Every structure is written in structure tokens, then in C-alpha cells.
């Protein structure tokens, strides 16, 4: 399967049982809802996937099970978030062996690498895998920015193909397009800039609240790409208070609570994370429940002709 960096790609949550083991029954229920809505890829092991708490064997099991479940309908992409170059290469090689069709890659974790060190890190992984790579550029949360000059160096590797654009500077979509044309595919990585980024020319949307609201997220993307902006905007304006749950330190708990409300998830998180409690839980539940009460009727978006 050729990986097309476009469309909505959920950064899925990892489902756990109350005994803190992988919950594939609920995980697959959520995947089924994503596929039914029309997503174009599944991304495992990101922040929402609680990757930092997963054992290596659990990550491999997630990849294998997801590959088996989607059965070629969409590509499975694994996030690489490692502390060492050697560890990143090993993770990439195992992902390829387990059936992943692409990688999303963060800069080195914990150590704040220089620009040169960051470029070498990505380059070494690109040299040692056949998988296409999307670089996750999120200086707000991870303190390292992959600049356009750094991308200029990295794009000599054919398998570095896309960026998850999470700088939160909407004009960066235009800067990337002006400099690299279609050589570097752009997927927005900030839910609260989803529609704006698509209208500025982003190819896709690595989304978070899609985990709870898959149809609404895909509808916004497809309507926007089909030029039906007013319809996309109406859904997006309804969605924005919920989307803001993604730009919060407790985004995992927030989104899992939303998954419970829509019937495709549980609140179970892995310690040290804990489910929301008290006034914060009440605040988040009110946002979710208010949204559900006013949920818009979606047009027939699945058969729209979209242009990327």
C-alpha cells in the first residue's frame, strides 16, 4: 500500500482494561468507528496513545493487532519518540517488520538537541528504514523546532515526505508550501487550527478529538476540500469548544472522557495519569454534554469529490 499523506488520520488513544492491560475489544470498537467515518490512516503511539507508558512489547502488539484489524483498508503509522538515535532506528525497523506502513517521528526526547543534532538524528533513521516518514514539528510541547532550513537538508531523503505541523503558527502552512511546493506534505496537528490549516492548503489533519467524534472530523475535512466552506464552518464552530480539550495538559483524560460519552472508549488511563476528578471533571463533562445536545446533522460527506 502506497501511503498518501492526506485526509484525517486519528492519533488514537490506547485502550486499557481496569487491570491495566491492553483492551483490544474497546480499541477495535473505536477503530471500527474511525474506518466507518472515512479516516485515511491510523497513527499509534503518540501522546494520546500514552506511548511513554507503554512497554516495547505492548507497542509491537498494538501495531500487529491494528494492522490485522484494518486489513489493508488504511495504512498504520507508528510514532517514534525515543531518547537515542539507536533506539529510534530499532523502533523503526521493528515497526516495519510488524506491518506498519509509515512513521511519525519526534525529535530526540529529553535531550534538547541542537539544529545540527536534530537533522542528523532524523537523517540516520531515514537512512535505515524503507518506511515513509512524517516529522512531528511541535516546538510548543517538545521545545525543538524543525525549521524550514532544517527541512531543506532533510528533504534530500526521499522517505522524509511529510510534516505534522504543530507550531501553532497558521502562517507556517503557507511558508512550507511556498518553499517546498508539494514535496513536503502538510498535516495539521492542532485540533483548534484544523479547518484554518486545511483552508490554507494543508493536505491532512492528524486529529485528536476525532477519537470521540470521527464522523464530524472527517466531514469538516471533506467539506472544506470540496469547497463547501460554509457547511464545514458550521460544524467547526459547533466543534471548537470540544476541540479545545485537545490543547490541555490533560488532553488524554479529556479525550478519553469524550470517547466514553460517544460510546467508543473508556476512561482507563495508565498511571501516573489518573481519570479526571472534581470540578475539572465537571467542567470537561459540561463541554462534552453541551456539544452532544447540540450535535449538528451531517450532510452526506462520504461521497464528496475532494481536491488535495
Amino acid at each position: 500500500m502506497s501511503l498518501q499523506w492526506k485526509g484525517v488520520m486519528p492519533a488514537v488513544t490506547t485502550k486499557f482494561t481496569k487491570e491495566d492491560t491492553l483492551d483490544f475489544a474497546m480499541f477495535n470498537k473505536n477503530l471500527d468507528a474511525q474506518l466507518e467515518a472515512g479516516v485515511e490512516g491510523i497513527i499509534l503511539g503518540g501522546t494520546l496513545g500514552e506511548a511513554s507508558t507503554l512497554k516495547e512489547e505492548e507497542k509491537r502488539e498494538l501495531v500487529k493487532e491494528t494492522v490485522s484489524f484494518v486489513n489493508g483498508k488504511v495504512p498504520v503509522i507508528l510514532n517514534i519518540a525515543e531518547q537515542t538515535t539507536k533506539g529510534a532506528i530499532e523502533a523503526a525497523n521493528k515497526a516495519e517488520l510488524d506491518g506498519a506502513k509509515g512513521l511519525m517521528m519526534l525529535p530526540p526526547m529529553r535531550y534538547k538537541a541542537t539544529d545540527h543534532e536534530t537533522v542528523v538524528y532524523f537523517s540516520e533513521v531515514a537512512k535505515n528504514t524503507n518506511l515513509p516518514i512524517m516529522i512531528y514539528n511541535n516546538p510548543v510541547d517538545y521545545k525543538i523546532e524543525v525549521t524550514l532550513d532544517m527541512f531543506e537538508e532533510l528533504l534530500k531523503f526521499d522517505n522524509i515526505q511529510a510534516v505534522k505541523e504543530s507550531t501553532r503558527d497558521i502562517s507556517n502552512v503557507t511558508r512550507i508550501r511556498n518553499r517546498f511546493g508539494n514535496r513536503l506534505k502538510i498535516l495539521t496537528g492542532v485540533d483548534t487550527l484544523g479547518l484554518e490549516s486545511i483552508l490554507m492548503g494543508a493536505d491532512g489533519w492528524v486529529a485528536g478529538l476525532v477519537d470521540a467524534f470521527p464522523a464530524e472530523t472527517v466531514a469538516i475535512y471533506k467539506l472544506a476540500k470540496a469547497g463547501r466552506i460554509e457547511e464545514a464552518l458550521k460544524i467547526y464552530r459547533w466543534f471548537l469548544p470540544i476541540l479545545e480539550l485537545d490543547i490541555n495538559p490533560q488532553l488524554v483524560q479529556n479525550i478519553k472522557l469524550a470517547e466514553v460519552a460517544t460510546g467508543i472508549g473508556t476512561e482507563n488511563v495508565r498511571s501516573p495519569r489518573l481519570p479526571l476528578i472534581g470540578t475539572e471533571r465537571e467542567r470537561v463533562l459540561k463541554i462534552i454534554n453541551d456539544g452532544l445536545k447540540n450535535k449538528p446533522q451531517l450532510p452526506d460527506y462520504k461521497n464528496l469529490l475532494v481536491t488535495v
Side-chain angles (χ1 to χ4, degrees), residues 39-252:
V39 303
E40 298 190 49
I42 299 292
I43 299 177
L44 304 171
T47 304
L48 280 175
E50 296 176 73
S52 62
T53 71
L54 296 175
K55 299 175 183 176
E56 181 185 328
E57 55 266 31
E58 289 176 319
K59 291 180 185 178
R60 298 195 69 179
E61 193 176 355
L62 272 171
V63 173
K64 291 174 185 175
E65 289 285 342
T66 306
V67 168
S68 175
F69 185 84
V70 304
N71 194 27
K73 294 183 180 74
V74 297
V76 175
I77 298 158
L78 179 67
N79 183 54
I80 303 290
E82 296 291 332
Q83 298 181 55
T84 67
T85 304
K86 181 179 179 181
I89 292 169
E90 289 176 352
N93 291 338
K94 288 170 183 174
E96 186 170 2
L97 186 65
D98 294 337
K101 296 300 181 184
L103 303 172
M104 182 169 78
M105 280 196 66
L106 279 161
M109 304 303 291
R110 298 192 183 180
Y111 173 62
K112 190 178 185 303
T114 65
D115 289 3
H116 173 66
E117 289 169 329
T118 302
V119 167
V120 171
Y121 174 80
F122 285 130
S123 299
E124 289 302 310
V125 177
K127 289 177 190 175
N128 286 280
T129 181
N130 294 312
L131 293 177
I133 295 169
M134 172 169 63
I135 290 176
Y136 185 178
N137 192 18
N138 186 348
V140 176
D141 293 320
Y142 296 105
K143 312 308 177 189
I144 294 175
E145 180 172 4
V146 186
T147 66
L148 298 193
D149 287 345
M150 292 162 72
F151 273 115
E152 189 79 59
E153 294 184 63
L154 290 168
L155 291 182
K156 67 184 179 183
F157 298 99
D158 290 341
N159 59 337
I160 295 181
Q161 299 178 355
V163 57
K164 180 181 175 184
E165 166 51 38
S166 298
T167 62
R168 304 191 191 182
D169 178 356
I170 189 66
S171 59
N172 216 35
V173 174
T174 301
R175 291 190 190 96
I176 294 167
R177 188 65 76 217
N178 283 348
R179 183 144 174 188
F180 302 116
N182 289 320
R183 169 63 183 88
L184 187 65
K185 297 298 182 182
I186 306 166
L187 286 83
T188 180
V190 181
D191 271 2
T192 53
L193 292 175
L195 179 58
E196 294 88 340
S197 298
I198 294 163
L199 295 179
M200 294 307 295
D203 301 285
W205 183 357
V206 177
L209 264 303
V210 67
D211 291 343
F213 295 92
E216 290 78 9
T217 309
V218 178
I220 291 167
Y221 172 83
K222 291 207 166 186
L223 287 164
K225 285 295 185 182
R228 290 165 60 170
I229 309 304
E230 287 300 321
E231 291 170 272
L233 187 56
K234 183 178 179 181
I235 302 167
Y236 190 63
R237 283 176 173 161
W238 159 82
F239 207 4
L240 187 61
I242 300 173
L243 293 175
E244 288 176 332
L245 298 176
D246 183 55
I247 50 170
N248 180 285
Q250 282 71 49
L251 76 164
V252 176

Side-chain angles (χ1 to χ4, degrees), residues 15 26 29-30 33 211-212 256-266 292:
K15 310 297 187 290
M26 184 56 77
K29 183 176 182 179
N30 190 285
D211 291 343
K256 285 195 167 184
L257 196 55
E259 288 178 330
V260 172
T262 57
I264 52 175
T266 72
L292 287 172

